[in-house]
């Protein structure tokens, strides 16, 4: 029979082990999903994925003048070197950010001997690896309600430090209503073992502008199969309550039905807001869930 454990609060704070695993995972992920964002209107210029023509201070490129444009846009110095007129275009850094939230509440400390690791460690590795891969793909990434979005190459270390200092996050089972920008994207990593009405409110609060988003549900295999028999006591790590259920085997079918209904509810919440739901078991490689999220982000933008 499977055995379980619950890691202490200090173990729900990211450390060197999780950071190292996140970086290692990010290194092996295919970059092709986000590389498609690098394609711009001018294929001759290997432009960065967020570079587009528009207002800005940095020079981007010269292009031929088009009849009907304002003459003030002509770059006369460049035009003097050729037999045609040219316009100086400037770079616009697209204001699209990706916000990640990682659940570190008590229920995330659960782990069984059927899993590779605890839920919280897997959630941290997933969230940090996604952040690193998004930045490599030209995105700006931040922790929802905790940090500013950044495209720093050291994003994993930056986010890890913020999580280490955020002790309040150890008691929060849902993200704050951070109200991301209109074109921002949100990735929530959690076990979502929270009443559906609260999950719905959290999703709505973070999609007020119609933001795209992704729910990544991290589950221990025991939470899905409930393989217990004999006398058992259930513990609620969030509320501290305990319940003697007697013969565990008799609870199995009812428990699995409740879990299925809860998952259906989460799926409907995501569908109503145009979000996606990814279910990841901690007995599976982290790369599976990470690659799926990357693919969903690209598909949501019409790049898949």
């Amino acid at each position: 029979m499977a055995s379980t454990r619950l890691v202490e609060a200090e173990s729900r704070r990211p450390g060197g082990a999780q950071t190292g695993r996140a970086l290692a995972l990010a290194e092996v992920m295919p970059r092709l999903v986000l590389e498609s964002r690098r394609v711009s209107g001018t294929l001759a210029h290997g432009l960065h994925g967020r570079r587009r023509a528009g207002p800005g201070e940095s020079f981007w490129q010269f292009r031929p003048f088009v009849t009907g444009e304002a003459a003030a846009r002509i770059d006369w110095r460049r035009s003097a070197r050729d037999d045609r007129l040219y316009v100086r275009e400037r770079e616009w850094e697209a204001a699209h950010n990706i916000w990640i939230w990682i659940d570190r509440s008590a229920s995330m400390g659960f782990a069984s001997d059927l899993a590779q690791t605890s839920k919280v460690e897997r959630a941290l590795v997933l969230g940090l690896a996604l952040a690193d891969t998004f930045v490599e793909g030209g995105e700006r990434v931040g922790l929802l309600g905790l940090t500013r979005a950044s495209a720093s190459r050291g994003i994993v270390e930056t986010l890890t430090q913020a999580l280490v200092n955020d002790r309040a996050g150890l008691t929060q089972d849902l993200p704050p209503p951070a109200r991301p920008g209109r074109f921002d994207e949100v990735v929530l990593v959690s076990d979502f073992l929270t009443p559906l009405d609260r999950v719905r409110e959290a999703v709505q609060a973070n999609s007020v502008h119609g933001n795209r988003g992704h729910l990544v549900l991290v589950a221990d295999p025991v939470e899905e199969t409930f393989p217990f028999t004999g006398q058992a006591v259930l513990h609620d790590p969030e509320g501290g309550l305990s319940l003697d259920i007697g013969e565990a085997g008799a609870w199995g079918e009812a428990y699995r039905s409740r879990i299925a209904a809860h998952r259906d509810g989460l799926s409907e919440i995501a569908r109503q807001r145009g979000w996606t739901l990814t279910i990841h078991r901690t007995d599976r490689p982290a790369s599976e869930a990470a690659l799926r999220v990357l693919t969903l982000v690209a598909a949501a933008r019409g790049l898949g």
Side-chain angles (χ1 to χ4, degrees):
M1 185 173 67
S3 62
T4 65
R5 61 187 174 88
L6 193 67
V7 301
E8 299 296 330
E10 286 300 312
S11 297
R12 301 200 303 274
R13 303 172 68 191
Q18 292 93 331
T19 299
R21 291 174 192 171
L23 286 169
L25 174 58
E27 287 176 0
V28 302
M29 284 182 190
R31 280 356 188 225
L32 296 179
V33 176
L34 291 182
E35 282 294 326
S36 58
R37 296 208 63 221
R38 298 182 182 274
V39 178
S40 68
T42 308
L43 297 179
H45 298 264
L47 300 177
H48 189 283
R50 289 183 291 117
R51 287 186 175 180
R52 304 178 188 177
E57 297 181 355
S58 302
F59 168 72
W60 177 20
Q61 66 174 4
F62 290 111
R63 65 164 177 80
F65 175 76
V66 177
T67 302
E69 290 187 89
R73 300 196 61 191
I74 298 174
D75 188 284
W76 295 105
R77 179 174 298 182
R78 174 63 184 87
S79 301
R81 303 203 311 263
D82 208 336
D83 294 330
R84 59 191 307 180
L85 299 177
Y86 287 90
V87 171
R88 173 187 291 264
E89 286 193 334
R90 299 184 182 278
E91 179 183 326
W92 173 56
E93 291 289 329
H96 293 191
N97 303 313
I98 295 181
W99 299 99
I100 296 176
W101 177 79
I102 303 171
D103 185 356
R104 294 172 292 130
S105 62
S107 68
M108 292 294 288
F110 183 83
S112 74
D113 59 359
L114 300 182
Q116 297 178 0
T117 183
S118 68
K119 292 188 295 182
V120 68
E121 183 167 340
R122 178 55 55 82
L124 287 166
V125 169
L126 271 174
L128 295 174
L130 284 170
D132 188 69
T133 309
F134 284 136
V135 167
E136 286 292 322
E139 304 287 354
R140 289 194 296 267
V141 179
L143 290 174
L144 195 66
L146 195 58
T147 72
R148 294 192 299 177
S150 169
S152 167
R153 295 292 184 179
I155 190 66
V156 170
E157 290 77 12
T158 299
L159 300 189
T160 297
Q161 187 60 48
L163 289 168
V164 167
N165 293 330
D166 178 39
R167 300 192 65 86
L170 298 175
T171 61
Q172 297 170 349
D173 58 357
L174 285 173
R179 299 176 66 89
R182 181 178 179 185
F183 299 108
D184 292 355
E185 202 144 0
V186 180
V187 179
L188 308 182
V189 187
S190 172
D191 57 10
F192 296 108
L193 291 178
T194 307
L196 291 175
D197 57 344
R198 292 188 59 222
V199 177
R200 182 178 293 105
E201 291 174 1
V203 170
Q204 291 176 346
N206 286 290
S207 58
V208 291
H209 299 299
N211 309 80
R212 288 186 296 260
H214 309 274
L215 304 180
V216 183
L217 189 157
V218 179
D220 188 286
V222 159
E223 293 175 325
E224 296 192 323
T225 60
F226 199 77
F228 304 108
T229 58
Q231 297 296 308
V233 178
L234 299 182
H235 297 279
D236 177 7
E238 303 283 355
L241 301 176
S242 296
L243 174 64
D244 187 342
I245 64 173
E247 171 55 41
W251 277 64
E253 184 176 352
Y255 170 86
R256 287 186 287 272
S257 295
R258 288 288 299 274
I259 284 292
H262 189 76
R263 298 275 178 85
D264 289 343
L266 290 172
S267 181
E268 180 62 16
I269 290 171
R271 187 196 65 79
Q272 290 176 349
R273 305 301 296 189
W275 286 32
T276 69
L277 172 65
T278 294
I279 297 176
H280 172 66
R281 285 176 35 154
T282 51
D283 60 344
R284 302 296 303 168
S287 56
E288 290 183 354
L291 182 56
R292 173 175 162 79
V293 172
L294 292 174
T295 303
L296 290 171
V297 169
R301 299 176 181 183
L303 299 169

